[in-house]
């Protein structure tokens, strides 16, 4: 009798299990995996984003022990009417355009040189990639030594005796170029890496066909290499543009934003407003202006990227 | 049967995922709570090990430099609590402390804060007020009056106190005696300037000596001065000349226009820019560290710096010219006045800690303020603000720079210590750097820009009526 009861119980339990299984359908399971991610995203991205948007319309200071007062668009008006901030936007624009353009040229050039395997090419590629693996603050500090006019190697390589060469970080015209040089040194390898991936994906038969048709190297480059690499190249340019807009640590390590305001970029000034000055509301407004700018520029790139893909 | 097995394994898998995720989440949340002593992340690697002792634990935060090490040695003798000095690099010290204040955190019981922080500490409720005990229990009458105003009182002249002056400091000069006392150099200098080569008595003499020793072909330059754009360096450097020329940042009721852009301030700024000509190449962003580097590297004849950094210059292990390094305080300006830019800090009790901790911190301050503790502090290398010790013969002869320090502490002046000091500093740093380093504009236009912007900031802060 006991055995029969036991058998019955074992027979019943699959039904119960099936019921559980039905409540945990594939959809439910999908949602179970999705919700924690969504919650984390809301807690750490969406909420701070909306919260800071709200703060940008207040005079809030995080250390003032005072509740925020709503001041409407005052922070945005103050920022957009501050001639000093327009200088920082101009500096940032120059820095972004020049450094990203040079990184693209240098990175693509290096990729073309390294696309064919030769003895030691792996080692050389790794060595070239090293700068982008370093911390920007560290890079800033050691390039500060490299640019030192008394004992730095940069002027020595340019042929100047110690103490007689240009003061790269102390001259308002040269300082922004010094920052560009370091940024290109650090990030051109990143562009190179993406271009190498693009170049390796180009099928050999295209070049063979071009060779059979006696196409010139220039023609081959313009009609095969460049169009095939363009999507990846544009992605590299997009990422570098976004990153260059936000450059902070490299400048703080190299020049501190000086001399004067020659290398004061928007992100550097944003830090000054947000932390030493603790003008949290104003800093939030400036951060939103930068965000809108970055989204705008990124959309232009993405539009071109889609066009290239469509072609 | 196979379906049942599949369902069970899915449930088990889910349970595992949820349990694991939950544990991670709890661990992550739990990691942010706890008392300061529970949080190892706040300990700097430079923090000396905690001393043992009965009673409560107290945590002090200060910048990462030698005086913090001296303080850790001193507090090891405090009998009623275990006191630990957490050190934070200068570059992030302010941000670290104010971020903690913003969170109303209890990680630190006492803060050794910059003199300029007093306004924020007092008006924004971060510091415990010490007015009632300052003279009665904190030995306030033994302190040099200038240090009380500079490191403890806010608003200035109000008789309200928020800190105990712990580390007095001021700008002074180190110089190469081997160069100054070289017979050939002395003869050449006398021939060129018709006066003896020696410690400059006036800023004009200092300029001549700087010019005399500027020899780029020998990689030798006249001076190293503060030029750094970040935080307050170039402003502090310029203050040395500005105050000595008889100038001021503004009036007590925050009027700046017509005061800061005065003739004497413009002359002082022109003079400071002229000194920059006699600095080594690459001096466009110099602060205390670069000043030390230029001096110990034998690149300059004279170097401006805070006295707190002079122990390293008097030490043969860190300065090969230590035996022949001399020190002097700021010379006088054209009107016969001499002032020094103030450095140094006062120690304050953090408002957000528990009443028990506040009481323990107060007991600690009472012990710290005693004459005998201050005597020990001075012997360890700390710059006491206790006037009796400052003026004692033993203190003056203790180091080669103590006499110049004691002299400087009688003539210190400071930048604004109001809650908006940081906004004011941003303007002065930017504009002074533009003029001194870049040579943009004139001294007069630079000061007019600063004055206008400073008044705007004061008006916005409600300190100056529009």
């Amino acid at each position: 009798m006991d055995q029969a009861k036991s058998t019955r119980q074992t027979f019943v339990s699959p039904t119960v299990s099936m019921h559980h299984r039905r409540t945990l359908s594939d959809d439910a399971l999908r949602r179970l995996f999705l919700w924690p991610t969504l919650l984390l995203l809301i807690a750490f991205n969406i909420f701070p984003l909306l919260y800071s948007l709200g703060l940008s319309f207040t005079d809030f200071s995080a250390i003032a022990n005072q509740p925020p007062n709503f001041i409407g668009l005052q922070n945005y008006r103050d920022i957009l009417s501050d001639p000093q901030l327009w200088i920082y936007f101009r500096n940032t624009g120059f820095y972004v355009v020049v450094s990203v353009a040079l990184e693209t040229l240098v990175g693509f050039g290096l990729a073309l040189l390294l696309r064919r395997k030769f003895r030691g090419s792996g080692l050389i590629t790794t060595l070239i990639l090293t700068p982008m693996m370093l911390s920007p603050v560290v890079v800033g500090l050691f390039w500060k030594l490299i640019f030192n006019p008394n004992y730095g190697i940069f002027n020595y390589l340019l042929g100047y005796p110690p103490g007689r060469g240009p003061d790269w970080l102390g001259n308002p015209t040269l300082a922004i170029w010094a920052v560009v040089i370091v940024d290109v040194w650090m990030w051109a390898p990143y562009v190179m890496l993406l271009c190498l991936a693009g170049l390796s994906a180009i099928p050999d038969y295209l070049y063979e066909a071009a060779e059979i048709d006696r196409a010139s190297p220039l023609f081959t480059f313009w009609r095969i290499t460049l169009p095939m690499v363009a999507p990846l190249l544009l992605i590299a340019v997009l990422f570098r543009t976004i990153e260059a807009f936000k450059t902070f640590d490299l400048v703080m390590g190299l020049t501190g934003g000086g001399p004067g305001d020659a290398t004061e970029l928007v992100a550097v000034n944003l830090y000054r407003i947000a932390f030493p000055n603790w003008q949290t509301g104003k800093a939030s407004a400036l951060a939103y202006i930068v965000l809108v700018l970055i989204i705008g520029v990124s959309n232009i790139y993405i539009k071109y990227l889609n066009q290239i893909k469509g072609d | 049967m196979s379906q049942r097995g599949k369902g069970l394994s899915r449930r088990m898998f889910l349970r595992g995922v949820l349990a694991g995720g939950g544990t991670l989440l709890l661990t992550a949340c739990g990691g942010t709570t706890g008392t300061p002593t529970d949080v190892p992340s706040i300990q700097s690697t430079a923090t000396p090990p905690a001393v043992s002792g009965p009673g409560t634990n107290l945590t002090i935060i200060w910048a990462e430099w030698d005086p913090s090490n001296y303080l850790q040695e001193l507090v090891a003798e405090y009998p009623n609590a275990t006191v630990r000095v957490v050190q934070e690099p200068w570059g992030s010290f302010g941000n670290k402390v104010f971020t903690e204040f913003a969170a109303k955190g209890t990680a630190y019981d006492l803060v050794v804060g910059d003199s300029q922080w007093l306004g924020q500490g007092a008006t924004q409720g971060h510091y415990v007020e010490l007015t009632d005990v300052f003279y009665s229990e904190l030995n306030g009458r033994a302190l040099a009056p200038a240090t009380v105003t500079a490191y403890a009182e806010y608003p200035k002249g109000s008789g309200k106190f928020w800190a105990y002056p712990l580390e007095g400091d001021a700008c002074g000069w180190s110089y190469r005696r081997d160069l100054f006392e070289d017979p050939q150099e002395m003869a050449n200098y006398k021939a060129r300037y018709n006066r003896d080569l020696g410690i400059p008595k006036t800023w004009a003499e200092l300029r001549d000596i700087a010019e005399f020793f500027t020899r780029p072909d020998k990689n030798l330059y006249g001076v190293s001065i503060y030029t750094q754009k970040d935080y307050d360096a170039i402003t502090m450097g310029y203050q040395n000349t500005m105050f000595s020329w008889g100038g001021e940042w503004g009036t007590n009721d925050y009027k700046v226009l017509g005061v800061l852009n005065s003739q004497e301030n413009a002359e002082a700024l022109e003079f400071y820019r002229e000194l920059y000509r006699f600095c080594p190449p690459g001096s466009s962003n110099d602060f205390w560290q670069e000043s030390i580097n230029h001096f110990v590297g034998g690149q300059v004849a004279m170097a401006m710096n805070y006295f707190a950094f002079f122990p390293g210059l008097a030490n043969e292990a860190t300065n090969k010219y230590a035996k022949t390094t001399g020190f002097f305080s700021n010379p006088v300006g054209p009107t016969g006045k001499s002032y020094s830019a103030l450095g140094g800090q006062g120690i304050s009790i953090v408002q957000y800690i528990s009443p028990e901790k506040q009481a323990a911190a107060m007991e600690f301050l009472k012990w710290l303020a005693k004459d005998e503790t201050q005597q020990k502090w001075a012997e360890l290398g700390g710059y006491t603000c206790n006037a009796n010790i400052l003026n004692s013969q033993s203190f003056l002869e203790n180091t080669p720079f103590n006499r110049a320090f004691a002299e400087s502490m009688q003539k210190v002046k400071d930048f604004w210590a109001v809650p908006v000091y940081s906004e004011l500093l941003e303007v002065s740093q930017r504009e002074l750097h533009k003029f001194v380093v870049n040579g943009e504009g004139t001294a007069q236009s630079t000061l007019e820009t600063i004055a206008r912007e400073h008044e705007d900031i004061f008006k916005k802060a409600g300190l100056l009526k529009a």
Side-chain angles (χ1 to χ4, degrees):
Chain A
M1 180 67 185
D2 283 348
Q3 197 182 1
K5 194 178 174 183
S6 167
T7 314
R8 196 165 150 244
Q9 274 176 346
T10 10
F11 179 75
V12 169
S13 53
T15 323
V16 176
S17 170
M18 284 294 280
H19 173 74
H20 276 288
R21 195 183 64 79
R22 269 198 297 276
T23 54
L24 269 178
S25 63
D26 283 349
D27 261 358
L29 194 59
R30 204 173 297 134
R31 276 196 293 274
L32 264 174
F33 277 106
L34 206 59
W35 273 110
T37 314
L38 277 177
L39 284 175
L40 285 174
L41 197 69
I42 289 165
F44 295 110
N45 282 43
I46 310 294
F47 172 70
L49 208 63
L50 295 176
Y51 186 64
S52 59
L53 179 65
L55 288 182
S56 74
F57 301 110
T58 69
D59 63 352
F60 185 60
S61 168
I63 55 157
N65 264 337
Q66 299 280 334
N69 295 312
F70 182 76
I71 54 166
L73 292 170
Q74 190 59 47
N75 284 329
Y76 291 91
R77 270 199 293 271
D78 285 350
I79 289 167
L80 296 173
S81 62
D82 183 353
Q84 210 50 51
L85 265 156
W86 284 105
I87 294 175
Y88 306 150
F89 273 111
R90 190 193 64 199
N91 290 348
T92 309
F94 175 84
Y95 166 75
V96 170
V97 170
V98 176
S99 62
V100 174
L102 286 174
E103 278 157 25
T104 309
L105 282 174
V106 175
F108 193 30
L110 285 171
L112 287 172
L113 287 173
L114 291 170
R115 68 188 296 200
R116 302 269 175 241
K117 297 282 171 216
F118 55 88
R119 198 170 167 186
S121 65
L123 180 69
I124 289 172
T125 308
T126 310
L127 287 175
I128 290 174
L129 290 175
T130 310
M132 64 177 251
M133 298 169 197
L134 300 173
S135 154
V137 176
V138 175
V139 169
L141 289 174
F142 77 65
W143 270 90
K144 198 173 170 179
L145 300 176
I146 290 172
F147 280 130
N148 188 295
N150 296 303
Y151 48 78
I153 199 169
F154 198 79
N155 278 346
Y156 173 78
L157 291 174
L158 293 178
Y160 290 102
R164 299 294 175 87
D167 185 356
W168 285 85
L169 303 178
N171 181 311
T173 315
L174 295 178
I176 191 79
W177 284 101
V179 180
V180 166
I181 288 168
V182 180
D183 196 65
V184 171
W185 175 83
M186 194 172 175
W187 291 109
Y190 172 77
V191 179
M192 180 198 83
L193 195 67
L194 286 190
C195 289
L196 269 178
L199 287 170
S200 64
I202 302 173
D204 283 341
Y205 67 81
L206 290 176
Y207 289 109
E208 285 161 12
E211 212 172 312
I212 290 163
D213 291 342
R214 295 191 174 181
S216 71
L218 197 65
F219 184 88
T220 311
F221 175 78
W222 281 113
R223 292 303 179 93
I224 299 173
T225 310
L226 195 59
M228 297 294 278
V229 177
L232 271 175
L233 191 62
L234 215 56
I235 287 170
V237 170
L238 172 68
F239 284 149
R240 280 310 308 143
T241 306
I242 292 170
E243 287 300 314
F245 252 110
K246 299 186 293 181
T247 301
F248 165 75
D249 27 20
L250 189 66
V251 175
M252 285 305 272
L254 258 181
T255 63
D261 45 25
T263 60
E264 183 93 358
L265 305 184
V266 174
V268 174
N269 197 252
L270 178 54
Y271 157 78
R272 289 193 211 283
I273 296 172
F275 291 102
N277 294 358
W278 289 97
Q279 294 170 288
T280 316
K282 189 177 175 184
S284 303
L286 181 54
Y288 261 89
I289 292 172
V290 174
L291 179 70
V292 168
L293 268 173
I294 291 176
I295 289 173
V297 173
S298 303
N299 272 329
I300 296 170
Y301 281 125
I302 291 166
K303 194 181 155 194
Y304 275 103
L305 189 65
N306 288 335
Q307 264 181 15
I308 291 170
K309 277 184 177 171
D311 292 343
Chain B
M1 201 52 202
S2 76
Q3 265 191 346
R4 185 189 170 201
K6 193 177 169 185
L8 275 174
S9 80
R10 179 182 280 186
R11 268 211 305 279
M12 283 175 71
F13 176 66
L14 271 174
R15 273 185 205 146
V17 167
L18 288 172
T23 312
L24 271 176
L25 198 65
L26 282 173
T27 313
C29 293
T32 58
T33 58
T35 59
T37 45
D38 297 327
V39 187
S41 62
I42 61 163
Q43 293 178 31
S44 156
T45 47
T47 309
V51 289
S52 62
T56 325
N57 294 315
L58 289 173
T59 307
I60 303 171
I61 183 164
W62 199 0
E64 187 177 359
W65 62 339
D66 284 344
S68 296
N69 295 328
Y70 308 150
L71 183 63
Q72 183 65 73
E73 271 187 69
L74 180 74
V75 299
E77 294 177 12
Y78 181 56
N80 299 332
T82 303
V83 187
R84 193 184 54 179
V85 181
V86 173
Q87 299 186 33
E88 183 66 25
W90 272 110
S92 52
F93 176 47
N95 283 350
K96 180 102 173 178
V97 171
F98 281 103
T99 308
E100 189 64 20
F101 287 161
K104 296 185 172 53
T106 56
Y108 314 113
D109 305 302
L110 296 125
V111 170
V112 186
D114 250 355
S115 54
Q116 294 146 15
W117 299 0
L118 269 178
Q120 275 184 311
T123 61
Q124 296 174 347
H126 308 306
Y127 291 167
V128 170
E129 188 173 347
L130 305 175
T131 308
D132 292 344
V133 292
F134 194 78
Y135 287 117
S136 57
E137 296 179 69
L138 292 181
N139 202 10
R141 299 205 189 282
L143 295 162
T147 65
V148 174
T149 313
Y151 303 126
E153 192 181 34
Y154 188 85
K156 303 298 174 194
S158 65
K160 290 185 170 186
F161 303 106
W162 306 88
Y164 174 78
L166 177 68
E167 171 81 355
D169 202 2
C171 264
W173 295 85
S174 56
Y175 73 103
R176 292 264 305 277
R177 281 197 292 115
D178 56 321
L179 293 175
F180 274 57
E181 290 166 9
D182 181 280
Q184 190 60 50
E185 299 286 6
M186 289 169 82
N188 290 346
Y189 183 82
K190 176 96 179 176
R192 188 166 161 187
Y193 296 98
N194 199 27
R195 80 170 84 90
D196 289 331
L197 177 61
I199 291 176
K201 294 179 193 70
T202 65
W203 282 97
E205 284 181 28
L206 188 142
R207 179 231 166 262
D208 289 346
I209 297 170
E211 182 185 53
F212 176 70
F213 282 115
T214 299
R215 300 159 192 175
D217 52 323
K218 291 182 178 161
N219 196 24
L220 179 68
Y221 296 85
V223 283
S224 172
I225 58 171
Y226 288 169
T227 58
Q228 196 178 64
K229 195 195 164 191
D230 204 25
Y231 195 45
D232 65 357
I234 195 167
T235 304
M236 296 298 116
Y238 165 59
Q239 278 188 158
N240 286 307
T241 56
M242 184 182 97
F243 292 139
S244 298
W245 254 252
E248 293 288 345
W249 284 105
T251 62
N252 286 342
D253 51 355
Y254 307 105
K255 276 187 75 72
V256 184
L257 273 164
V259 180
L260 180 58
N261 50 332
S262 65
Q263 181 69 28
E264 59 266 32
N265 277 0
E267 280 172 18
L269 184 54
E270 287 281 6
F271 181 86
Y272 198 70
R273 174 163 162 70
E274 201 182 357
L275 282 186
Y276 180 62
R277 281 178 44 216
F278 308 124
C279 291
S283 296
S284 61
N285 211 20
D286 283 4
F287 198 17
W288 59 271
Q289 184 66 62
E290 289 77 13
S291 169
I292 291 171
N293 292 347
H294 290 311
F295 193 84
V296 302
Q299 226 184 347
V300 292
M302 299 177 285
M304 171 190 279
N305 222 336
Y306 285 118
F307 278 90
F309 300 106
F310 286 169
L313 296 185
N315 183 346
E316 282 181 72
T318 46
N319 176 20
K320 65 179 173 182
Y321 303 104
K323 275 189 175 168
T324 54
T325 295
F327 303 90
F328 61 91
S329 69
N330 276 350
V332 298
T335 53
K337 292 175 184 168
S338 173
Y339 289 101
S340 291
L342 182 92
Q345 294 87 25
I347 184 166
S348 302
I349 301 173
V350 176
Q351 184 75 57
Y352 309 112
I353 57 174
S354 66
E356 294 77 30
K357 275 286 188 92
Q358 284 188 11
M362 188 66 85
E363 283 308 309
F364 170 74
L365 284 192
K366 287 176 193 169
W367 172 81
L368 187 68
K370 284 180 182 170
D371 281 345
E372 53 269 31
T373 315
Q374 287 297 305
Q375 178 69 46
K376 175 80 180 162
W377 173 231
E379 284 165 14
L380 284 169
Y383 280 127
T384 177
C385 297
N386 185 308
N388 302 329
I389 298 162
L390 269 179
N391 296 326
S392 69
Q393 204 56 32
S394 60
F395 176 80
L396 295 176
E397 286 165 7
N398 196 29
T399 71
F401 43 83
N402 274 8
R403 195 171 288 277
F405 170 73
E407 215 176 282
S408 297
M409 288 313 286
Q410 306 303 322
K411 54 183 185 182
V412 283
K413 277 197 177 188
D414 200 9
F415 189 71
W416 299 104
V418 291
V420 285
Y421 81 92
S422 181
E423 288 173 58
L424 299 169
L425 265 180
E426 192 195 334
V427 175
S428 62
Q429 287 289 102
R430 183 189 70 220
E431 295 301 322
L432 292 174
H433 205 258
K434 271 191 201 172
F435 176 69
V436 174
V437 174
N438 289 6
E440 287 178 36
T442 63
Q444 193 66 43
S445 66
T446 300
L447 293 172
E448 272 162 18
T449 307
I450 298 173
R452 239 185 346 266
E453 292 197 37
H454 275 193
E455 278 213 348
D456 286 346
I457 293 167
F458 283 134
K459 281 175 191 165
K460 263 190 174 174
L463 292 164
L464 177 67
K465 285 192 176 125

